Every structure is written in C-alpha cells, then in structure tokens.
Amino acid sequence: MRNFAYVSAGAVDEAIELLGQDGATRPLAGGTDLLPLMKEEAAAPARLVDIKRVAELDSGIQETADSLTLGALTRLADIEEHPLLRQRYTAVAEAAGVAATPQLRNMATLGGNLLQRPRCWYFRSPQFHCWLKGGASCPAREGENRLHALFGGGPCYAAHPSDLATALLALDASVHLKGRAGERTVALAEFFALPEDGRRVETTLLPDELALRLHLPAPAPGTRSVYLKAMDRKTWAFALVSVAAVVRLDGNRITGARVVLGGVAPIPWRAPAAERALVGAEPGPEVFKRASEAALTAARPLQHNAYKAPLVGALLQRALSTLAPRASG
Ligand SMILES: Cc1cc2nc3c(=O)[nH]c(=O)nc-3n(C[C@H](O)[C@H](O)[C@H](O)COP(=O)(O)OP(=O)(O)OC[C@H]3O[C@@H](n4cnc5c(N)ncnc54)[C@H](O)[C@@H]3O)c2cc1C
Ligand code: SF4
C-alpha cells in the first residue's frame, strides 16, 4: 500500500473543496472497498477525505409525500431492517440483506456500495495492469472469465458487484450529487454507464462530486418487487447472477414491469425485452418462460461463463412466480 494523507471533513462543501478535480483525493466512507483496493494497489489516492462525520450525508431514511430519501451514509444493515423498505421497496431491503456479511453491513454505506469497484481478479491483482486500470488490454477476455459479463462486455468484461444497485435501478431510483459546479439529480439509469476510453469507471460521477442521497419514487398501487441472488455459497459471496424484478398487476393483467440483472455486465443490466414480454400479459409459467428467454437473447457468453445464462433464466422465472401471487393482493 502506498503512503497517503488523511483528513476528516465536517461539512459537504468542505469535503468537496478538499476533493479537488484531479481525482488524487478520494472520499472515505466505511472503507470496506476503498481500503482493500488501496492494499491491492488497484487504487492509489494521494489523500483520503473521511466523510463519516458529515451530518448532511447521514440523514437516514425519510419518507416524503412522493418518495423515500436515503442519506449516502445509510448503512446496509439499516436498509435491510427498515420496515417501510421491507414492505414497499422489498427488492431493495432484500438486496441489502443478502450483501456481504452482517459485520460488513454494519460498516458499509449506501454511497460506497454503489461506487464500489469490480471484483475481477485481474483488476484486484497488483500483477496485472488491465484496461480498466489504464492498461492496453483485458486479460479476462481470453483468460479466467468464469465470473465475468454476459452483456455489455468490451473493452471491460467485469461483472458489477453491487446488489443494491441492481434493486435500486429496478425501482427507478435517482442519486443526488454535489460538486464544485453545483448540485444535480441523476437517474441511476444514467449514473451507471459502461466504462469507455476517457472514463474507465462504471459511473458518471465527477472527481469532485459527492453522492449526498438517494431518492426512491413511491411505487404505484399494486406494485411488488423481489430480489433473488445466486451465489457460490450461502453468505459472504458476490452474485454469480442476480435478478431484481418489479411487477404491477391490474386484476389479472401485468400493467408494468421492470427487470434488472446483476452480476452479468459491467453495470446493472436492464432487460427491456423481458419487460416487453410481460406487460399486457396474464401472469403464468409460459409468460415467465418467454420473458426469461427474451432477457437472454442479447447474451454473449465468454469461454467459461456460459453457465450464467440458464442461471439467469431460472432465477428470473422464480422471481416472477414469487411476485405473481403477491401482486394480486
Ligand atoms: C468480503 C466482502 C464481501 C462483500 N460482499 C458483497 C456482496 O455480496 N454484495 C455487495 O453489494 N457488496 C459486497 N461487498 C462490498 C461492500 O458492500 C462494499 O465494500 C461497501 O458497500 C462499500 O461501502 P463503504 O461505505 O465501505 O465504501 P468505501 O469503501 O468507503 O468507498 C467505496 C467507494 O465509494 C466512494 N464513496 C463512498 N461514499 C461516497 C459518497 N457519498 N460520494 C462519493 N463517493 C463515495 C469512495 O471514494 C470509494 O471510491 C463485499 C465486500 C467485502 C469486503
Ligand atoms: S474484465 Fe475489466 S477489470 Fe477485469 S481484467 Fe478485463 S478490463 Fe480489467
């Protein structure tokens, strides 16, 4: 690990001033991703700005007339246990509850979870200077790619690691940001973006911006959601694949659907073809099977990760059949 300076900020504007625009200073929240990245030399900030004492980021979980607001420092444990999230934004509470371990969920913050970096072993190894770290090529493309992307691959084929991002995107969340140029609210659909030359990260966050809070719009009546995750073992594992599904039923007809897949692309991956297969249909096994086939038509497996495609199909059908009876209530 390289030497670095440490400073603690007391207010958002102070933290933004300290961050600067060259990316050499990074915000430190729970530290559960950033510090391991620094030990693995996949990140080498010259300075850390500790934001844990910034009260404006710690506003907790608050209900407003038309949305739920979650401060960036909200811990995953608080999301998992919050009664309103469990009842009305079920997929989000479920995603928090299956992320990492209880000890990590007590440290890890919402902002840090969305901004964590990929678990790709080449990325995390100091021995490889892969494309995402500024190198020329991606060793995973022809190498050990069992855990890598089915969709959106190239130049990077890493799988996005955040459970919460997948569920929050399915529920149309947006993030409120502040930097030197001012404040902006960005839908997660735009916040996450495939890395490209000139922006080798998975988000459109600017170097001097802080995530202040998340907004979740109130779901329409009759909306239910679920988050399912397939793992190598039952706990302390990232998703091999995951599914966040949101369905709205009017009588016995699906009038709205959102399907987002996790662990299958460098960013949380929306499956609009699956949504189209669902909307207007009566829920049932045939429709769910058609939706899962539609979700996979654009999949481009690598040499060692083709197993992910049937896993996505099975998980999506299970998620939808879980929702159908729930949605009629
Ligand atoms: C063993 C292990 C297992 C795990 N399993 C899972 C899992 O199954 N599912 C899952 O989703 N995650 C998993 N994680 C990841 C874990 O959830 C994240 O490390 C954690 O959520 C990051 O939050 P943090 O507060 O510790 O962030 P930090 O490590 O402090 O920060 C992470 C990044 O976010 C930036 N950042 C933090 N807050 C802000 C902000 N407000 N504004 C701008 N930038 C910010 C930091 O600068 C840094 O770049 C696992 C981690 C470990 C170590
Ligand atoms: S998949 Fe992405 S993170 Fe992994 S080696 Fe390739 S470029 Fe690097």
Side-chain angles (χ1 to χ4, degrees):
M1 189 187 222
R2 308 229 187 114
N3 287 342
F4 62 91
Y6 169 92
V7 57
S8 181
V12 166
D13 288 342
E14 183 191 356
I16 290 168
E17 197 59 38
L18 287 163
L19 279 179
Q21 286 167 318
D22 62 3
T25 301
R26 299 310 311 141
L28 175 72
T32 63
D33 191 48
L34 185 52
L35 297 178
L37 281 169
M38 290 167 67
K39 289 182 194 158
E40 292 149 354
E41 295 188 8
R47 183 167 65 171
L48 295 182
V49 180
D50 194 334
I51 56 172
K52 282 195 294 297
R53 286 168 199 81
V54 178
E56 297 135 281
L57 303 176
D58 205 6
S59 55
I61 302 172
Q62 292 177 18
E63 191 180 13
T64 61
D66 56 359
S67 73
L68 201 66
T69 300
L70 298 87
L73 287 176
T74 306
R75 296 170 316 138
L76 269 50
D78 299 326
I79 295 173
E80 170 189 4
E81 287 156 16
H82 196 274
L84 192 58
L85 278 160
R86 290 168 74 105
Q87 187 200 343
R88 296 185 67 192
Y89 306 86
T90 313
V92 175
E94 289 175 341
V98 292
T101 62
Q103 291 90 337
L104 278 161
R105 296 199 288 273
N106 273 319
M107 286 288 292
T109 65
L110 171 59
N113 188 269
L114 299 184
L115 286 152
Q116 64 177 300
R117 301 305 308 279
R119 307 305 294 190
C120 171
W121 31 55
Y122 298 105
F123 181 74
R124 298 259 164 180
S125 165
Q127 290 169 23
F128 292 91
H129 189 55
C130 76
W131 179 85
L132 197 62
K133 288 196 281 192
S137 61
C138 167
R141 187 180 167 185
E142 308 296 337
E144 291 292 337
N145 50 40
R146 191 179 81 86
L147 301 179
H148 289 71
L150 289 180
F151 303 93
C156 176
Y157 293 83
H160 198 271
S162 166
D163 288 305
L164 273 169
T166 306
L168 287 164
L169 178 59
L171 282 157
D172 288 335
S174 55
V175 58
H176 192 73
L177 309 171
K178 186 170 185 187
R180 286 181 185 206
E183 302 194 24
R184 59 186 180 122
T185 300
V186 186
L188 284 195
E190 275 96 51
F191 183 67
F192 291 108
L194 289 171
E196 58 189 21
D197 275 325
R199 184 183 46 73
R200 297 191 187 195
V201 288
E202 304 76 36
T203 69
T204 52
L205 184 85
L206 300 173
D208 69 349
E209 282 184 317
L210 275 182
L212 305 190
R213 53 189 175 271
L214 258 282
H215 298 291
L216 271 166
T223 302
R224 298 289 184 274
S225 65
V226 66
Y227 184 77
L228 296 182
K229 174 179 179 182
M231 297 179 267
D232 268 338
R233 50 182 185 273
K234 275 199 163 176
T235 185
W236 199 349
F238 289 87
L240 294 171
V241 307
S242 68
V243 168
V246 182
V247 161
R248 185 177 176 205
L249 274 190
D250 189 358
N252 200 27
R253 198 155 294 277
I254 300 170
T255 55
R258 191 70 100 226
V259 175
V260 181
L261 308 176
V264 296
I267 55 176
W269 199 253
R270 195 169 155 198
E275 297 167 5
R276 284 194 295 274
L278 292 167
V279 173
E282 288 187 14
E286 276 309 310
V287 169
F288 299 158
K289 188 161 179 288
R290 273 207 301 281
S292 70
E293 286 164 359
L296 288 161
T297 46
R300 298 287 174 269
L302 300 163
Q303 189 181 356
H304 303 294
N305 71 351
Y307 73 95
K308 285 193 176 192
L311 204 50
V312 166
L315 210 59
L316 179 53
Q317 288 178 65
R318 196 189 306 166
L320 293 169
S321 52
T322 314
L323 285 181
R326 280 205 230 173
S328 58

